[in-house]
Amino acid sequence: MKPKDFREIMSSALPKKDARKMEKHVFRIYDTNNDGYVDFVEFMVVFFILSDGSSEDVLSKIFRLFDVNSDGTITKEELTRLVKDMYGLLKKDDPNVNAIDFIAKSAFNEMDSVMDAKVTTAEFITACMGEEGFSKMLANK
């Protein structure tokens, strides 16, 4: 499946939402080998994990959504960008920038346990599985 095909599926699944900004983020979850296509095996593996996988497996897939440049870590800028794009799905009007920055900064601070300005998969999973408010909220959206 090419990104264009994926876009059509997203539009069908969310007909009343502007999902354009989220398409590329969600596509990353499925394109596990980063070749720009989602083949049947990639789709089915992710589908199975998201529907029946352990919490850790599901969160490791969701981590790919946040890891915009696919380098294995999430920066504050990546998190802010994704929160802004997610906020656009929830609110049709121009999002309140202060709320976006507050949510992104709070979630990032919860996740970055070693305070090295990046969040690893392990830190992401730990924060989301813990009772960390903002981290859990973002992973459950």
Side-chain angles (χ1 to χ4, degrees), residues 4-20 23:
K4 180 183 176 221
D5 302 320
F6 194 78
R7 181 178 313 116
E8 291 172 11
I9 292 171
M10 288 278 295
S11 295
S12 296
L14 301 167
K16 295 181 181 178
K17 300 284 186 179
D18 182 8
R20 286 175 291 157
E23 289 167 10

Side-chain angles (χ1 to χ4, degrees), residues 7-106:
R7 181 178 313 116
E8 291 172 11
I9 292 171
M10 288 278 295
S11 295
S12 296
L14 301 167
K16 295 181 181 178
K17 300 284 186 179
D18 182 8
R20 286 175 291 157
K21 290 183 178 179
M22 288 302 296
E23 289 167 10
K24 60 187 168 285
H25 301 305
V26 176
F27 188 83
R28 254 193 327 276
I29 292 174
Y30 289 93
D31 184 18
T32 57
N33 64 358
N34 298 316
D35 67 355
Y37 297 93
V38 175
D39 63 34
F40 183 73
V41 173
E42 287 174 316
F43 182 81
M44 290 309 296
V45 166
V46 172
F47 176 78
F48 176 76
I49 289 171
L50 293 179
S51 63
D52 200 33
S54 69
S55 297
E56 291 88 357
D57 289 340
V58 171
L59 288 170
S60 71
K61 290 299 176 194
I62 293 173
F63 178 85
R64 289 182 53 83
L65 179 81
F66 289 91
D67 184 11
V68 175
N69 65 1
S70 300
D71 68 351
T73 62
I74 302 169
T75 64
K76 193 177 294 186
E77 292 77 19
E78 287 174 314
L79 189 62
T80 301
R81 176 178 169 191
L82 197 66
V83 168
K84 182 179 179 186
D85 291 348
M86 288 172 72
Y87 201 87
L89 272 179
L90 302 174
K91 184 176 178 184
K92 196 87 166 149
D93 304 327
D94 288 337
N96 180 338
V97 174
N98 292 333
I100 290 168
D101 289 339
F102 176 74
I103 292 168
K105 183 179 179 181
S106 298

